[in-house]
Amino acid sequence: MTNSKSVFRSIDAKGSGKVSVEALVHNLESSGIALSDPRLQSLRLRIAKEGSASLSSEEFEEWISHSSSLLTRVVKSELVIPRFDEFAKEIESLFNHTRGIESGAVANYIPHLARVPENKFGVAISTIDGQHLSFGDAEEGFTLQSSCKPILYCAALEELGEKTVHSHVGREPSGFSFNELTLNKQGLPHNPMINAGAIMTSALIKRSLSTADRLDYLTSLIESLSGGRPCHFNNAVWHSERESADRNFALAHLMREQGAFPDGVDINATLDYFFSACSVEVDASALAIVAATLANGGICPQTGERVFAAETTKHCLSMMHSCGMYNYSGEFAFTVGIPAKSSVSGVVLAVIPNVMGIAVWSPPLDSCGNSVRGVEFLKQLIGRFNFHNYDSLVESQKKDPRRLPHARETDHIYQAIYAASIGDVSELKRLVAYGHNLNSADYDGRTPLHLACAEGHAEAVQYLLDQQVDTTPKDRWGNTPLADAKRHDRFGIEEIFKLRKRCSRQVPQSNVRAA
Ligand code: GLU
């Protein structure tokens, strides 16, 4: 059966031979794929032209011909978050919970930031498969400010490579505030995630272009990273930034005095470029897609365009992980454990590699300069889902939305049965260490002991009996493990059972308990 035919049959649950356009769109949207997704352009145009229709299998095939692989993954629940509607509900509850927090103060070093209402709050999440959700003010514009720093760093790496870029900027957390007048022992900015470092990357990018072309390059880069969402340049913010930039001018002069810049860099033009990058206006939805592009190794999930090399994103995420959250970076890496970058506009851009990008925007900041609700939302997210970088090392009750419900239990059941069938005792031990119950049976009622007996794996049978598994479970044909051993002439196995019976008769109860 072709992909399109199986998609049709899956959506036509009642077998009526017709699928409505509404049902098709509903399937897409509940899996997090909006009709506005660039990959659905031809379907969108068709719907706009022909309106809602009831499609036969052949018509359906034609309508989805340009998006059948995406739709196949949708109906097969193969997207990275297979139950996206359930995940979205959990995010909504986190969003509502975080909304109640009212501490923090809006940045006031320029009037434009000081004027933003404190109650603005938007959350957007975009996955590496282009699933997208947003709540609150996620479509309202704000300026990038420090969240431009990962983008500037990636752009510099793409153009000049790691070696050249890092001959002008270090990669250690500074231990000081983001605009501290300080450089490292080599006279270079400590890292690209603080102001001095971003001024440096601003100096390195597209030096041969005119100022106007450099700005065009930056905005078109951001549009590519966000799947084509338009971004604007906020001229008023740029002027304000420039007027209140004594510290940034001081940093640039200090770096010039130390010989940190490449020869011939014009520091005024460089600072103007940095202020321009800070003054690009986006919204949380667009920024979540930027973060998803980083999570996806540099390929924008919604357009399939490779914007950055995978290596570039790897370097950038490493820097964000160690230096992205101002003076809270170490604490954030410990407690939340994902790469992130915050900015004085109140946005936190966070990345769960190979899974999703997140943008949380809420202007009131804490004493370190991080959005109070942004940090709290991410803490709660990590408390609920196993997204911390090292969560895979520990057994916890956290949810894994990457997996279908019960996938883990069924995986363990089949792993144990397969291990028993090939006599792999080490694998059985590993599963026990994970808390797996070796009495669990598959849908035919077959247990690991059935398989180990039927295949004659004495060591595995011995191990299972030592683990006190039930020795007389019946499969759906009424067979016990011992009956399987007899049927397959596994005489050695029968001996193990006999010996065990004899021992259990002979060994006094107190010894059994002691053992
Ligand atoms: N434009 C801001 C400044 O230079 C960027 C800093 C930030 O967002 O952390 O102070």
Side-chain angles (χ1 to χ4, degrees), residues 109 144-147 149 178-179 195 241 248 274-275 278 326 341-345:
Y109 72 98
L144 280 176
Q145 300 298 342
S146 248
S147 58
K149 289 170 183 169
F178 68 97
N179 61 0
N195 278 21
E241 286 290 337
N248 289 323
F274 172 56
F275 306 144
C278 291
Y326 302 124
K341 183 72 199 85
S342 70
S343 103
V344 292
S345 59

Side-chain angles (χ1 to χ4, degrees), residues 215-511:
L215 186 56
D216 270 353
Y217 162 74
L218 187 64
T219 48
S220 67
L221 178 63
I222 294 168
E223 285 183 5
S224 296
L225 287 166
S226 64
R229 303 227 175 186
C231 62
H232 309 282
F233 174 66
N234 188 324
N235 205 11
V237 170
W238 182 83
H239 278 285
S240 302
E241 286 290 337
R242 202 168 191 249
E243 278 156 22
S244 57
D246 290 341
R247 180 61 68 107
N248 289 323
F249 275 95
L251 280 168
H253 282 278
L254 180 63
M255 289 193 281
R256 186 168 70 180
E257 184 214 40
Q258 293 291 311
F261 289 111
D263 290 343
V265 161
D266 172 345
I267 58 171
N268 292 318
T270 294
L271 284 164
D272 282 349
Y273 195 61
F274 172 56
F275 306 144
S276 302
C278 291
S279 309
V280 171
E281 202 168 282
V282 291
D283 60 29
S285 267
L287 218 44
I289 304 173
V290 172
T293 303
L294 296 178
N296 199 28
I299 298 175
C300 177
Q302 304 217 346
T303 58
E305 184 192 353
R306 175 166 287 290
V307 189
F308 293 137
E311 196 78 359
T312 297
T313 57
K314 178 182 138 190
H315 295 325
C316 181
L317 295 180
S318 305
M319 291 280 59
M320 286 165 67
H321 199 95
S322 57
C323 313
M325 296 295 286
Y326 302 124
N327 282 4
Y328 191 67
S329 298
E331 192 61 30
F332 189 85
F334 186 86
T335 51
V336 181
I338 55 176
K341 183 72 199 85
S342 70
S343 103
V344 292
S345 59
V347 73
V348 184
L349 171 94
V351 177
I352 300 170
N354 292 314
V355 184
M356 62 178 65
I358 304 165
V360 190
W361 176 55
S362 168
L365 310 175
D366 62 20
S367 58
C368 292
N370 295 313
S371 165
V372 177
R373 284 185 184 143
V375 170
E376 189 52 35
F377 177 87
L378 291 168
K379 276 187 178 167
Q380 295 204 11
L381 180 85
I382 294 297
R384 196 169 296 192
F385 299 107
N386 64 346
F387 288 153
H388 185 293
N389 204 15
Y390 301 113
D391 266 340
S392 58
L393 299 175
V394 288
E395 269 296 286
S396 77
Q397 295 307 312
K398 290 185 187 181
K399 295 179 185 169
D400 186 350
R402 288 161 282 203
R403 314 211 51 174
L404 288 164
H406 315 303
R408 180 163 163 174
E409 294 101 277
T410 39
D411 277 3
H412 278 179
I413 290 172
Y414 286 105
Q415 282 164 6
I417 286 176
Y418 179 69
S421 76
I422 58 168
D424 186 347
V425 176
S426 312
E427 176 66 357
L428 292 173
K429 287 182 181 166
R430 184 185 76 85
L431 291 164
V432 168
Y434 268 101
H436 178 65
N437 179 353
L438 291 173
N439 283 313
S440 305
D442 70 5
Y443 57 83
D444 283 330
R446 306 283 288 161
T447 64
L449 190 60
H450 278 100
L451 272 295
C453 287
E455 298 299 331
H457 293 302
E459 204 193 332
V461 170
Q462 190 64 61
Y463 176 73
L464 290 163
L465 294 178
D466 291 347
Q467 289 293 311
Q468 317 275 323
V469 296
D470 178 6
T471 52
T472 54
K474 286 191 175 149
D475 64 19
R476 76 177 167 110
W477 299 278
N479 294 322
T480 61
L482 187 55
D484 273 9
K486 286 184 177 156
R487 208 176 46 247
H488 293 282
D489 299 330
R490 306 294 187 194
F491 304 115
I493 304 296
E494 285 184 56
E495 280 309 307
I496 296 175
F497 272 76
K498 277 187 205 149
L499 201 64
R500 185 171 181 86
K501 216 165 169 189
R502 243 179 276 138
C503 291
S504 64
R505 259 190 254 120
Q506 282 163 11
V507 179
Q509 272 309 302
S510 55
N511 283 4

